[in-house]
């Protein structure tokens, strides 16, 4: 069995690993984008709620309404903080996945180049062998005038 065919198995495995890394990278990027969108929504809701409450509060509100407002605002602040923490973890995970993807891609390219180089060498060797055989045959055939 030719060396290039044996290495084809290694190339197939490297390609499978690279494709899996592609999927993980896409999923990780998607998680970060979703987390950023959720954080923006929470921050906007927090800001809108605070502004609307302050506008209503200008005309006067009861102490119970203030306590309810403060409790709700605290819950929103906690939700924003939790989302920021989750987004920070997702971003860190994305960086690790990028490093893994880059490693898998480089490994795939290196194996691919090696297989291509070996195929070229095998092709050149086969051409040399064929030329050698043709030369030997041409020497064995004697012209009729001798």
């Amino acid at each position: 069995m030719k060396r290039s065919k044996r290495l084809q198995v290694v190339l197939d495995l490297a390609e499978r690993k690279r494709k899996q890394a592609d999927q993980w990278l896409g999923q990780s990027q998607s998680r970060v984008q979703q987390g950023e969108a959720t954080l923006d929504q929470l921050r906007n809701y927090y800001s809108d709620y605070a502004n609307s409450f302050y506008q209503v509060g200008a005309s006067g509100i009861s102490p119970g309404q203030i306590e309810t407002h403060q409790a709700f605002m605290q819950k929103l602040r906690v939700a924003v903080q939790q989302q920021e923490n989750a987004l920070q973890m997702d971003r860190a995970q994305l960086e690790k996945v990028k490093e893994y993807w880059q490693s898998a891609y480089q490994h795939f390219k290196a194996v691919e180049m090696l297989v291509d180089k070996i195929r070229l060498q095998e092709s050149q060797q086969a051409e040399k062998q064929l030329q050698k055989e043709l030369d030997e045959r041409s020497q064995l055939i004697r012209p009729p005038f001798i």
Side-chain angles (χ1 to χ4, degrees):
M1 178 180 261
K2 287 187 175 183
R3 192 171 162 209
S4 63
K5 289 198 187 271
R6 289 190 312 254
L7 282 175
Q8 184 63 40
V9 174
V10 176
L11 180 63
D12 292 344
L13 290 173
E15 184 176 16
R16 197 174 313 145
K17 187 176 178 182
R18 181 191 56 84
K19 285 181 180 179
Q20 186 179 37
D22 287 345
Q23 287 178 331
W24 289 347
L25 181 62
Q27 291 169 353
S28 187
Q29 288 173 334
S30 177
R31 259 193 314 278
V32 168
Q33 289 172 348
Q34 288 172 348
E36 289 172 345
T38 301
L39 184 59
D40 286 343
Q41 288 175 341
L42 281 171
R43 286 179 176 163
N44 288 337
Y45 183 70
Y46 179 86
S47 177
D48 292 345
Y49 183 78
N51 289 337
S52 68
F53 184 78
Y54 295 136
Q55 288 174 357
V56 171
S59 61
I61 54 173
S62 70
Q65 289 174 318
I66 291 175
E67 287 178 16
T68 304
H69 168 72
Q70 287 176 339
F72 186 68
M73 292 296 286
Q74 178 60 29
K75 287 182 181 181
L76 283 176
R77 282 191 291 272
V78 168
V80 167
Q81 184 61 44
Q82 287 174 342
Q83 184 60 34
E84 286 174 345
N85 292 341
L87 183 56
Q88 186 178 16
M89 288 173 49
D90 287 342
R91 285 180 177 150
Q93 181 69 28
L94 175 60
E95 288 306 311
K96 290 179 183 177
V97 170
K98 280 182 180 179
E99 289 172 9
Y100 176 78
W101 175 85
Q102 194 172 30
S103 170
Y105 185 78
Q106 288 173 346
H107 176 72
F108 169 73
K109 281 300 188 184
V111 172
E112 185 180 47
M113 288 173 54
L114 177 63
V115 169
D116 289 345
K117 180 181 174 183
I118 290 172
R119 284 183 182 148
L120 179 62
Q121 288 173 349
E122 289 173 348
S123 174
Q124 290 171 344
Q125 185 64 30
E127 286 178 21
K128 284 182 184 178
Q129 183 64 29
L130 179 61
Q131 186 62 45
K132 181 180 174 184
E133 290 173 7
L134 289 174
D135 290 346
E136 287 174 358
R137 285 186 184 164
S138 69
Q139 289 177 1
L140 292 176
I141 300 174
R142 298 186 187 239
F145 58 85
I146 294 182

